Amino acid sequence: MSSIPFMRPVSLACAALLVGSAGLIDSAPSIQRVATLRTARAAHTATVLPSGQVLVAGGMADGGDALASAELYDPVRNAVQPLPAMAERRIDHSATLLPDGRVLIAGGYNGNYLASLEIFDPATHRFQSAGSLSEGRSGHTATLLSDGHVLFVGGVGRGWTFLSSAEIYD
């Protein structure tokens, strides 16, 4: 059986990144401990970039505070490097890999339900504002559509309201 690159987003709930053997899933997958994140975090996102690097963004620090920090894991070097912070501290947000290789960060919670959007550009290693959702939400889904739009559905909004709304990012 041929090896298939491990390309789906990875959920990280501890201070170490775990990947399949040599970054590949094969007939006998295994898990090994690799580089340690600089900041322990939960409720963050981890997005595999086209380069194979993993963008780890936001989440909750030990003690419950929302984080604006981000890190980049490089599986080739088995190293983690800090990145400039996002504009917003975010817990339970979404991160969607766009067709051009950038990552759309959306919504989340930091004491308020966030409507703000940011884009991470792997070429510059910077986050920049990308507008806002019509409604603050966390715990929502974000789905890349075949035409490049991103569909946001549901989640939780102001007053711990379960949202039935959806919106599209162009």
Side-chain angles (χ1 to χ4, degrees):
M1 175 181 224
S2 66
S3 295
I4 301 169
F6 186 78
M7 293 300 291
R8 68 186 121 143
V10 182
S11 177
L12 305 175
C14 64
L17 295 170
L18 301 177
V19 297
S21 177
L24 303 173
I25 294 179
D26 55 27
S27 59
S30 65
I31 295 181
Q32 60 185 325
R33 189 175 179 105
V34 294
T36 300
L37 294 173
R38 294 171 182 261
T39 303
R41 57 184 78 220
H44 56 282
T45 56
T47 308
V48 179
L49 303 175
S51 66
Q53 295 175 317
V54 180
L55 170 66
V56 179
M60 181 183 348
D62 188 19
D65 292 331
L67 297 168
S69 67
E71 304 178 52
L72 193 62
Y73 170 64
D74 183 340
V76 173
R77 294 182 17 239
N78 192 29
V80 176
Q81 75 177 76
L83 294 169
M86 295 183 292
E88 297 270 5
R89 298 176 301 115
R90 300 174 187 273
I91 297 170
D92 208 17
H93 53 286
S94 64
T96 307
L97 181 64
L98 300 174
D100 65 4
R102 297 179 304 155
V103 179
L104 178 64
I105 308 288
Y109 182 79
N110 67 7
N112 295 302
Y113 291 95
L114 301 172
S116 62
L117 302 169
E118 300 182 52
I119 289 186
F120 173 74
D121 186 342
T124 63
H125 287 186
R126 301 256 183 238
F127 291 90
Q128 60 189 116
S129 176
S132 63
L133 299 165
S134 62
E135 174 171 30
R137 60 181 73 223
S138 72
H140 55 278
T141 63
T143 304
L144 179 65
L145 303 176
S146 61
D147 64 2
H149 292 86
V150 179
L151 173 66
F152 300 102
V153 178
V156 178
R158 190 174 15 178
W160 192 245
T161 304
F162 294 108
L163 303 174
S164 60
S165 62
E167 47 191 305
I168 291 182
Y169 175 79
D170 182 3

